[in-house]
């Protein structure tokens, strides 16, 4: 398993004001100076990325984007490409988030987003996760289908930077009590690595960081990192507040010792 831990803050639309985005970025820069053992990345809303990437240029915090277009052809009004985002300082792209998939983001479009991201040289953070849990456990085949659709036949050497974020949709946007249980997370993490091994080979699969997202808060971060078998978190709501985000980062740092 990849050793280094990673915590990504997906600000979604929780931070809607440029001043607030600036203040939180500067606070994180100050508080996380000298941090070791955990990488911290943030994905602000698109309009703030250029400025925040600039503010954080000399800090270890990387800035990324919540979405890029799947189109390759420039004849698309309103679309923003991975290459454009790279040009303004983004380092990674969140791909196939469930909130994007639910708005017509089919597996084909997610696959195309991944290809555009790989073409641009940015790091893909591929989100997968079932909508619900049934007693028949068909969530395993659902997740397998998403991984296959995104990754099958992508040249292995292009996937060296891949990050997978497992985010069960039913656990997103709730509170710590409704997050996934660590034992269930561990089980799914093992399954994801097994599918990855089939797709990219065992050695490469072991190097892919697998993150968990879905109601990670200061309250449950320690247990999830210590017992859930993942390499870190993709955090939504709790990443938009400095106190909760910093507490989660600290839990991951301690859990990685
Ligand atoms: P919450 O942490 O708000 O549940 O969101 C998780 C998520 O969707 C991160 O991408």
């Amino acid at each position: 398993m990849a050793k280094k831990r990673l915590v990504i803050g997906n600000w979604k639309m929780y931070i809607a004001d440029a001043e607030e985005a600036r203040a939180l970025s500067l606070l994180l820069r100050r508080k996380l100076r000298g941090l070791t053992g955990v990488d911290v990345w943030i994905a602000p809303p698109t309009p703030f990325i250029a400025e925040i990437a600039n503010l954080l240029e000399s800090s270890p915090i990387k800035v990324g984007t919540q979405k890029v277009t799947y189109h390759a052809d420039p004849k698309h009004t309103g679309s923003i490409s991975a290459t454009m985002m790279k040009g303004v300082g983004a380092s990674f792209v969140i791909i196939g988030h469930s909130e994007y998939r639910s708005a017509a983001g089919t597996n084909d479009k997610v696959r195309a987003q991944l290809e555009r991201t790989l073409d641009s040289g940015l790091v893909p953070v591929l989100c997968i996760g079932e909508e619900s849990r049934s007693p028949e456990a068909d969530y395993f085949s659902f997740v397998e289908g998403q991984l296959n659709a995104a990754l099958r036949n992508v040249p292995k050497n292009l996937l060296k930077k891949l990050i997978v974020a497992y985010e069960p949709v039913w656990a997103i946007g709730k509170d710590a009590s409704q997050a996934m249980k660590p034992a269930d997370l561990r089980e799914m993490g093992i399954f994801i690595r097994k599918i990855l091994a089939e797709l990219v080979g065992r050695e490469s699969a072991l190097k892919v960081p697998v993150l968990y997202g879905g109601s990670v808060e200061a309250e449950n971060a320690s247990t999830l990192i210590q017992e859930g078998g993942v390499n870190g978190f993709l955090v939504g709501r709790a990443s938009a507040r400095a106190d909760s985000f910093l507490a989660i980062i600290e839990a991951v740092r301690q859990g990685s010792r």
Side-chain angles (χ1 to χ4, degrees):
M1 183 183 294
K3 259 237 153 91
K4 184 108 176 183
R5 304 293 173 109
L6 171 63
V7 179
I8 305 180
N10 174 8
W11 290 2
K12 306 192 182 185
M13 285 175 33
Y14 286 113
I15 296 195
D17 173 79
E19 184 55 44
E20 203 187 331
R22 226 173 274 138
L24 179 55
S25 306
L26 289 173
L27 187 64
L28 292 175
R29 184 176 78 176
R30 188 160 56 78
K31 294 276 188 187
L32 297 176
R33 196 168 288 151
L35 179 74
T36 54
V38 191
D39 287 335
V40 177
W41 299 0
I42 54 172
T46 308
F48 309 145
I49 288 179
E51 185 185 358
I52 292 179
N54 203 20
L55 284 178
L56 298 180
E57 206 182 349
S58 58
S59 96
I61 305 170
K62 287 193 180 149
V63 178
T65 175
Q66 299 172 18
K67 192 189 132 195
V68 291
T69 185
Y70 56 89
H71 295 297
D73 170 1
K75 207 172 56 195
H76 285 283
T77 303
S79 293
I80 297 177
S81 71
T83 310
M84 288 179 206
M85 295 316 301
K86 187 179 185 187
V88 297
S91 306
F92 68 94
V93 183
I94 296 176
I95 294 171
H97 193 284
S98 58
E99 286 149 15
Y100 166 73
R101 290 182 190 261
S102 69
T106 59
N107 270 338
D108 287 350
K109 288 182 185 162
V110 170
R111 165 74 176 226
Q113 279 185 314
L114 180 94
E115 287 173 357
R116 301 290 87 75
T117 300
L118 292 173
D119 290 346
S120 72
L122 294 183
V123 173
V125 179
L126 174 67
C127 298
I128 52 169
E130 75 279 3
E131 307 269 332
S132 58
R133 291 224 139 189
S134 64
E136 298 78 39
D138 51 7
Y139 39 86
F140 287 115
S141 53
F142 186 85
V143 164
E144 181 176 359
Q146 288 182 323
L147 282 168
N148 270 318
L151 303 176
R152 184 161 296 285
N153 298 330
V154 175
K156 290 189 184 56
N157 64 321
L158 293 182
L159 292 176
K160 283 201 180 106
K161 294 194 282 188
L162 175 72
I163 293 170
V164 170
Y166 169 61
E167 300 205 304
V169 181
W170 52 267
I172 293 178
K174 309 270 176 47
D175 61 38
S177 68
Q178 295 172 73
M180 192 169 210
K181 300 288 167 271
D184 293 337
L185 177 56
R186 179 171 282 279
E187 179 186 47
M188 182 54 94
I190 292 168
F191 179 75
I192 289 170
R193 287 196 185 283
K194 176 178 156 294
I195 302 303
L196 285 174
E198 285 164 19
L199 288 165
V200 301
R202 189 170 176 279
E203 207 176 313
S204 305
L206 287 173
K207 291 188 188 138
V208 176
V210 177
L211 311 182
Y212 167 74
S215 301
V216 177
E217 300 197 312
E219 290 76 7
N220 58 358
S222 288
T223 324
L224 282 167
I225 199 71
Q226 284 169 28
E227 299 170 22
V230 285
N231 300 103
F233 300 127
L234 179 53
V235 186
R237 193 181 40 163
S239 72
R241 282 202 351 252
D243 57 350
S244 47
F245 194 48
L246 290 167
I248 291 168
I249 293 164
E250 178 57 18
V252 172
R253 192 186 68 79
Q254 294 208 6
S256 70
R257 284 193 303 191

